[in-house]
Amino acid sequence: MNAQGGKYDKMPVVRPILLVEDNPMDLDLTLKAMKEQGMTNPILVCRDGEEALQFIEAHNTEDDEQLPLIVLLDLRLPKVDGIEVLRQARQNPIWKQIPFIVLTTSKENSDIRRAYELGINSYLVKPVDFPSFSGMTKMLKLYWVLTNQPPFPGKD
Amino acid sequence: MDAPLAQDEDKRLAALQSLNILDTPPELRFDRVTRLATRLFKVPIALVSLIDADRQWFKSSQGLTVSETPRAISFCGHAICGEELFHIPNAEHDPRFKDNPLVTGEPMIRFYAGHPLTGPGGYKLGTLCLIDRQPREMNPEDRETLKDLASLVADELGNVELNRTAMALKSREAELGSFLENAHDMVQSVGSDGRIVYVNSSWRKIMGYSEDEIAQLNLMQVIHPDSQAHCMAVFEQILSGKAAVEVEAVFLSKTGKNIVVSGNAQLRKQADGTLITQSIFRDITFRKQYETSMRRAREHLERRVLERTRDLQEINTALEQEVVVRKKIEALQAGRSLVLEKLAAGEDKKEILETLVRVLEEQVSGMKGSILLLDHEGKRLLNGASPNLPEAYSREIEGLAIGPKVGSCGTAAFEKRRVIVADTQSDLLWADYRVLAAQHHLRACWSHPIIGADGGVMGTFALYYHDVRMPSKVETDLIEETVHLAAIIIQKIKADQVLETLNRELEGRVKERTAVLNETNSALEAEMAERRRSEELIKAKNEELKAFAYTVSHDLKAPLRGISGYAQELLSEHHESLIERPKFCLEQIARATNHLDKLIEDLLQYSRLDREMPKSKDVNLNVLVKEIIEARASLIQDQGIEVTIDIPFSVVQCWEKGMSQVLSNLIDNGLKYSRKAKPPRIAISGETCSKVYRICVRDNGIGFNMKYHDRIYGLFNRLVRQDEYEGTGAGLAIVKKVIDGLRGKVWAESIPGQGAAFYVEWPKENYQQENG
């Protein structure tokens, strides 16, 4: 632990990032981009919507250590799609406070509107070009991991 | 023989004049003597006669009505010639007098005895004389007596004082005479024998007689024959001593004019004892005429009033009768309203007609009404409504064939006229039905044809009575009203029947038509269902298509990212271990993935246009173009491209996002294909026409052959190679799609090597709803 940091400094270190992604290639490249950008948070991965809902159900308290710092959510998922995951998460008193960032290929207006209606915090379109994607991941880390103040600051 | 004149006649006359006694009124002092003389000598006439120049004037006179006579024929004129008594025992035998008119005529003098009257100076002034109509003698005693009496008279004549009094009296009388003479009223004196003694000037003037003529007149001659009896009666009355009598009479003027007079008359005894009537009348002819005309006018007026009153009474009577009729008609109309209500309520026709008959029966006592209806063939009469006729009778005449001699109704219907039969037992029309009528005590029967609007007979309305009778005016009016109403009702009933038939036909036709329509409808419904199924199918296909585009965007891109990502990784992280050819291959893979990415992007954009609706709003095209140019500023600057913008309309109703895509694509094309021109130029201009907006983007680039014009709007169709001018070939396809959505059009003009001009235009009117 970094003694020099403030009482919240240790939080980003311990709190995981939840990645909901079914495509193995996308998952690999995303993890690679995160690694490239020096993201040190544990990365928890759900491979479909159902898994994501089970995870939410399983980690349902304020002080759960698995409670993620942010959720990166693909919309197009097997079994239960991303929109449904969002809808249920937003009905949960704990999870409705967690920042959800949609990370998807779709630029469809309908997707964007529905996602924001369910209270997402950011909507990012994955570029095909990997360097661009890596750059985007860097911005994401800078803002959501390092800059943003998350909910449930926890106890000392 | 005329009376002789005295020798000293002038002096004698002067002496007489000096006594101032001539023409004075009678005086008692002389009248006493003459009255005494008549009694003493038992003669009818005694006179004091004064001999004037040519007359003898009687100062006193008993038994004579005249006051003077001519001197020439006088006895006295002889008498004054001697001193002693002048005595004629019988004038008839006296040669001097036997021819005298006073002897031969009135007063038929026979005996005359006159003693001269000697006045002052010894002149013989006149005589005191006795006259009888019989001859007689005078003895000496008589002579002495007469002489004494004559002396008495002579003494009185000499009494100048008394004479003056008499003279004064005379002048007063003259005044009075003048007064009467000049009075406006008519004054007359009439002798008891009816001779007119005196009339004044007004009398003469009004009656038109001269003084001379009057002397010859008898009163009765101037009185209108109609008035004579009345006047005579009045005259007698006066003579019998009645003091004064009011008289009204009609005189006859000389010219025959009626003169109406009113006044009074009285009796006057003259000095000589004779009686005269004196009257003062007023000419009231005009008043009478006025009164008469007034009376006539009044009578005329009264007659007129009477006539008028009679007229008014007649009118009044007529009015009263009219009122009676009116009341009956009103009662009938009340009944009529009831009938019409029933008619409107669509009650049974028989009941309505019966009500009508009953309504009339209530108004006409003792009457039994009957309505018969003509059958469809117009030949037979059928019972319509006869509520109070004997049923047996109605049965008997049911189906009666109409004809010229078929009772009242049959004839009325046949001849289309009113048939009044006052007595069925004597009328020829009833010859065949007399017994039937008698059985049911039906004596009078008046029948009216009921005429329809088309002028045809629809039936009859008959009124039966048990007694012989003719219709009164009131009855006729009532009947006509009722017949009129009956016509309306029957007309309505007939119309209803026709309507009912028509309705039935119509219903049949409606049913047929409905059946046909139902079939058609079923077919249509089946077709509709089919159509709906097709639509559902198309919709599903569309959804599928949308899902396809979505899948493309997502599912194609994921592997693309993989290819790109891993190729990049090889190129960047394993750069040293790669030889030339594999490195080139990886670079080609990366480029291909980039192009594929763009293609997918454009395909998505294009397919999205299908799903997005044009949204109309105010768009400032100048600003929009400038923003597009601004976004490409570095490119424009690097390549030194000249851009001009000339859009005269700024804010238009338009679909902003669509228009942005159109302008971006056209400008991008211009920038792309003109970049080798020196210098490259792009002109964006606008034009507003009456119904459309038009925008042109012109460049001086490579242009194209117009034979390919129609191809350039196809998706992914390109006219140039990828390695010369990059691109996917979606730009113009997107432009066309947007402009099609706006119901506009897009076209281009170009000459290869000299540039191209692309035009888009779209209608001004709001297209939002049409594209909703």
Side-chain angles (χ1 to χ4, degrees):
Chain A
M1 303 291 150
N2 189 346
Q4 286 180 325
K7 56 183 176 181
Y8 303 120
D9 286 355
K10 60 187 175 185
M11 290 302 287
V13 179
V14 295
R15 292 192 57 177
I17 288 169
L18 179 64
L19 179 60
V20 187
E21 176 63 74
D22 63 317
N23 188 305
M25 252 195 280
D26 268 353
L27 177 61
D28 181 52
L29 288 170
T30 304
L31 292 174
K32 183 182 175 217
M34 286 176 163
K35 194 178 169 187
E36 257 184 30
Q37 297 305 333
M39 217 163 342
T40 55
N41 302 57
I43 308 294
L44 304 173
V45 176
C46 292
R47 296 300 304 274
D48 59 37
E50 199 177 66
E51 269 188 39
L53 288 176
Q54 283 165 0
F55 186 86
I56 288 167
E57 188 69 24
H59 306 281
N60 198 14
T61 56
E62 208 176 300
D63 51 1
D64 190 309
E65 290 198 351
Q66 297 284 303
L67 206 59
L69 184 68
I70 53 172
V71 179
L72 297 175
L73 177 71
D74 193 2
L75 290 181
R76 201 169 150 76
L77 295 168
K79 297 179 183 171
V80 178
D81 73 7
I83 292 295
E84 180 58 24
V85 173
L86 252 181
R87 201 181 58 75
Q88 293 199 23
R90 285 320 190 192
Q91 286 172 353
N92 184 304
I94 301 299
W95 283 82
K96 75 177 178 191
Q97 298 188 46
I98 306 291
F100 269 68
I101 294 157
V102 171
L103 193 61
T104 182
T105 313
S106 173
K107 275 189 197 171
E108 292 294 310
N109 289 343
S110 56
D111 285 340
I112 296 167
R113 193 174 62 245
R114 278 194 297 166
Y116 273 109
E117 276 169 4
L118 289 167
I120 59 160
N121 302 79
S122 188
Y123 191 103
L124 301 173
V125 178
K126 290 184 264 187
V128 170
D129 179 48
F130 182 77
S132 302
F133 181 62
S134 182
M136 198 184 75
T137 308
K138 182 184 179 184
M139 309 269 272
L140 194 146
K141 175 199 159 193
L142 281 175
Y143 181 75
W144 284 107
V145 178
L146 300 180
T147 313
N148 187 48
Q149 190 65 51
F152 315 122
K155 301 175 187 108
D156 277 15
Chain B
M1 194 190 112
D2 286 355
L5 293 176
Q7 288 162 351
D8 50 358
E9 179 64 15
D10 289 346
K11 287 180 183 165
R12 191 193 68 84
L13 281 174
L16 180 61
Q17 294 292 335
S18 70
L19 289 177
N20 285 325
I21 198 159
L22 283 171
D23 296 315
T24 56
E27 284 177 77
L28 199 56
R29 51 182 177 140
F30 296 110
D31 290 345
R32 277 191 197 124
V33 177
T34 50
R35 278 206 300 272
L36 189 61
T38 57
R39 281 199 297 273
L40 282 174
F41 299 105
K42 305 215 188 312
V43 290
I45 299 163
L47 308 164
V48 172
S49 172
L50 297 175
I51 307 302
D52 200 359
D54 49 7
R55 61 164 180 165
Q56 61 169 341
W57 177 78
F58 309 134
K59 174 62 183 172
S60 178
S61 164
Q62 304 295 332
L64 275 186
T65 53
V66 293
S67 60
E68 61 181 32
T69 60
R71 178 175 176 175
I73 59 164
S74 68
F75 283 66
C76 296
H78 293 270
I80 59 169
C81 291
E83 294 293 325
E84 296 301 321
L85 175 77
F86 181 72
H87 172 220
I88 306 291
N90 188 346
E92 262 185 324
H93 297 157
D94 193 301
R96 290 170 296 178
F97 295 105
K98 64 180 182 189
D99 300 324
N100 191 299
L102 300 174
V103 176
T104 56
E106 276 297 319
M108 307 287 269
I109 298 174
R110 293 293 178 270
F111 162 75
Y112 175 86
H115 196 284
L117 299 170
T118 305
Y123 296 107
K124 308 292 185 292
L125 302 176
T127 66
L128 169 66
C129 66
L130 307 173
I131 292 171
D132 199 344
R133 292 185 176 88
Q134 289 162 11
R136 60 190 293 171
E137 292 297 326
M138 284 200 81
N139 58 32
E141 191 180 347
D142 292 338
R143 290 172 189 255
E144 279 305 311
T145 303
L146 187 59
K147 187 182 177 179
D148 286 343
L149 288 174
S151 299
L152 277 174
V153 172
D155 287 350
E156 285 300 324
L157 284 174
N159 189 337
V160 177
E161 274 305 310
L162 284 174
N163 288 356
R164 195 175 293 120
T165 308
M167 203 58 200
L169 267 173
K170 178 198 163 190
S171 72
R172 236 187 77 202
E173 201 164 70
E175 272 174 34
L176 210 59
S178 159
F179 179 67
L180 288 173
E181 180 67 18
N182 296 316
H184 278 291
D185 287 342
M186 297 162 75
V187 180
Q188 67 177 38
S189 295
V190 178
S192 57
D193 55 357
R195 200 167 49 82
I196 293 174
V197 177
Y198 168 78
V199 296
N200 70 350
S201 63
S202 288
W203 197 102
R204 288 192 302 274
K205 196 172 151 198
I206 290 165
M207 296 295 285
Y209 289 102
S210 68
E211 267 184 275
D212 291 343
E213 288 168 327
I214 284 159
Q216 311 302 320
L217 281 175
N218 186 286
L219 180 62
M220 286 303 148
Q221 285 174 273
V222 299
I223 293 175
H224 190 279
D226 294 348
S227 206
Q228 280 174 2
H230 169 66
C231 288
M232 194 65 91
V234 171
F235 198 60
E236 300 282 327
Q237 248 181 351
I238 297 165
L239 288 176
S240 71
K242 197 163 182 193
V245 176
E246 297 286 330
V247 189
E248 194 171 302
V250 181
F251 285 180
L252 210 53
S253 77
K254 189 184 173 188
T255 55
K257 222 164 70 182
N258 286 0
I259 308 293
V260 184
V261 296
S262 164
N264 53 59
Q266 62 181 9
L267 189 66
R268 169 104 181 270
K269 193 170 188 178
Q270 300 225 73
D272 59 1
T274 58
L275 295 171
I276 61 166
T277 60
Q278 292 181 320
S279 312
I280 299 178
F281 292 121
R282 179 156 293 179
D283 176 5
I284 59 166
T285 309
F286 288 116
R287 204 180 86 199
K288 273 288 162 188
Q289 280 174 355
Y290 175 72
E291 278 175 6
T292 305
S293 64
M294 282 301 284
R295 195 182 62 243
R296 285 201 184 126
R298 198 170 58 239
E299 281 168 5
H300 179 68
L301 208 61
E302 279 169 5
R303 205 164 48 245
R304 295 271 299 152
V305 167
L306 280 177
E307 283 171 8
R308 214 72 173 91
T309 309
R310 203 167 49 242
D311 287 352
L312 282 173
Q313 274 168 351
E314 277 172 21
I315 290 171
N316 207 26
T317 310
L319 271 177
E320 276 169 8
Q321 283 174 355
E322 176 84 15
V323 165
V324 170
V325 175
R326 279 273 148 238
K327 276 185 180 163
K328 292 233 174 201
I329 288 176
E330 270 167 27
L332 197 66
Q333 272 166 350
R336 175 189 172 131
S337 299
L338 176 70
V339 171
L340 287 177
E341 273 168 28
K342 289 192 173 205
L343 188 63
E347 282 193 20
D348 179 59
K349 75 170 180 179
K350 180 134 186 154
E351 194 176 320
I352 294 168
L353 291 176
E354 276 186 7
T355 306
L356 182 64
V357 170
R358 283 184 211 279
V359 164
L360 186 63
E361 282 173 346
E362 276 170 27
Q363 294 305 315
V364 183
S365 57
M367 184 277 281
K368 288 179 171 45
S370 164
I371 292 177
L372 300 181
L373 301 174
L374 202 59
D375 67 1
H376 291 299
E377 293 177 352
K379 286 181 179 166
R380 292 178 180 281
L381 288 170
L382 305 171
N383 191 9
S386 313
N388 290 314
L389 271 189
E391 265 181 52
Y393 176 79
S394 292
R395 259 202 314 281
E396 202 66 42
I397 63 165
E398 182 71 357
L400 190 71
I402 63 172
K405 267 180 69 179
V406 185
S408 299
C409 295
T411 309
F414 185 76
E415 297 187 347
K416 210 169 149 184
R417 65 171 177 89
R418 193 165 64 136
V419 174
I420 303 295
V421 170
D423 185 2
T424 57
Q425 297 308 299
S426 63
D427 200 299
L428 285 175
L429 294 178
W430 279 75
D432 296 342
Y433 308 95
R434 198 164 288 160
V435 177
L436 179 66
Q439 277 171 1
H440 298 287
H441 312 290
L442 301 171
R443 280 305 285 271
C445 178
W446 316 329
S447 184
H448 294 245
I450 300 169
I451 311 290
D454 59 356
V457 176
M458 299 190 296
T460 59
F461 192 109
L463 290 83
Y464 288 89
Y465 293 90
H466 291 310
D467 45 0
V468 174
R469 61 187 290 173
M470 289 290 284
S472 69
K473 168 90 175 76
V474 177
E475 282 167 333
T476 305
D477 285 353
L478 290 177
I479 293 164
E480 270 169 18
E481 276 281 317
T482 309
V483 169
H484 178 64
L485 190 52
I488 291 172
I489 292 166
I490 295 169
Q491 192 88 36
K492 168 79 163 67
I493 288 167
K494 282 195 166 185
D496 283 352
Q497 284 169 349
V498 171
L499 208 63
E500 210 172 293
T501 312
L502 283 178
N503 266 342
R504 268 201 301 277
E505 277 176 28
L506 205 63
E507 269 171 26
R509 279 168 61 190
V510 165
K511 270 180 193 158
E512 280 174 30
R513 190 56 71 87
T514 308
V516 172
L517 281 176
N518 278 342
E519 280 174 27
T520 313
N521 212 21
S522 306
L524 273 175
E525 271 173 16
E527 202 178 313
M528 287 280 282
E530 186 64 31
R531 184 72 61 85
R532 269 198 295 276
R533 270 195 297 280
S534 302
E535 277 172 11
E536 291 290 330
L537 214 59
I538 290 167
K539 210 169 165 187
K541 295 259 184 213
N542 261 342
E543 290 301 317
E544 212 174 293
L545 211 61
K546 277 191 214 169
F548 170 73
Y550 186 80
T551 307
V552 165
S553 78
H554 200 279
D555 294 358
L556 285 188
K557 278 200 173 187
L560 201 57
R561 262 196 308 278
I563 298 166
S564 172
Y566 294 119
Q568 289 286 344
E569 190 181 327
L570 282 175
L571 276 173
S572 56
E573 291 173 24
H574 306 284
H575 191 260
E576 286 85 22
S577 59
L578 288 175
I579 54 167
E580 204 60 25
R581 183 63 191 171
K583 204 187 279 178
F584 172 76
C585 290
L586 284 173
E587 279 166 3
Q588 289 302 334
I589 288 168
R591 190 174 292 138
T593 53
N594 269 336
H595 184 63
L596 189 56
D597 184 34
K598 280 202 180 74
L599 273 175
I600 292 168
E601 254 334 293
D602 285 348
L603 180 65
L604 279 174
Q605 198 184 6
Y606 183 83
S607 73
R608 208 177 286 131
L609 288 174
D610 276 336
R611 284 169 282 144
E612 287 182 14
M613 300 164 192
K615 289 192 180 78
S616 183
K617 61 183 268 192
D618 285 342
V619 178
N620 189 325
L621 287 178
N622 269 307
V623 169
L624 188 60
V625 169
K626 277 173 187 151
E627 280 172 0
I628 293 166
I629 298 297
E630 196 65 34
R632 291 146 180 82
S634 57
L635 174 75
I636 289 165
Q637 201 171 357
D638 289 351
Q639 303 192 353
I641 301 169
E642 293 176 10
V643 177
T644 57
I645 303 171
D646 175 24
I647 299 176
F649 45 89
S650 51
V651 178
V652 297
Q653 278 277 308
C654 192
W655 174 24
E656 187 175 28
K657 189 177 172 189
M659 193 49 62
S660 175
Q661 287 182 342
V662 166
L663 291 170
S664 298
N665 276 301
L666 291 178
I667 290 168
D668 283 343
N669 276 353
L671 292 173
K672 184 162 68 186
Y673 294 113
S674 68
R675 70 181 174 223
K676 288 176 183 168
K678 299 208 181 322
R681 283 196 202 94
I682 291 182
I684 302 126
S685 60
E687 197 181 338
T688 177
C689 304
S690 64
K691 288 180 176 173
V692 296
Y693 295 112
R694 187 181 298 155
I695 286 179
C696 172
V697 178
R698 186 186 296 273
D699 65 70
N700 60 346
I702 59 170
F704 63 93
N705 192 323
M706 283 298 280
K707 71 179 178 187
Y708 301 123
H709 178 267
D710 291 346
R711 281 194 63 200
I712 58 178
Y713 307 106
L715 185 62
F716 302 141
N717 281 351
R718 302 200 72 211
L719 297 181
V720 293
R721 292 207 314 275
Q722 176 72 22
D723 53 352
E724 284 179 324
Y725 292 95
E726 74 288 346
T728 62
L732 286 175
I734 289 170
V735 167
K736 179 151 173 52
K737 193 152 208 152
V738 170
I739 294 300
D740 282 350
L742 296 178
R743 308 195 169 209
K745 58 183 181 180
V746 53
W747 73 97
E749 291 166 359
S750 179
I751 296 170
Q754 293 189 17
F758 283 86
Y759 296 90
V760 292
E761 70 175 32
W762 66 98
K764 283 177 175 177
E765 61 263 31
N766 195 334
Y767 44 81
Q768 188 177 13
Q769 283 134 343
E770 295 172 38
N771 289 274

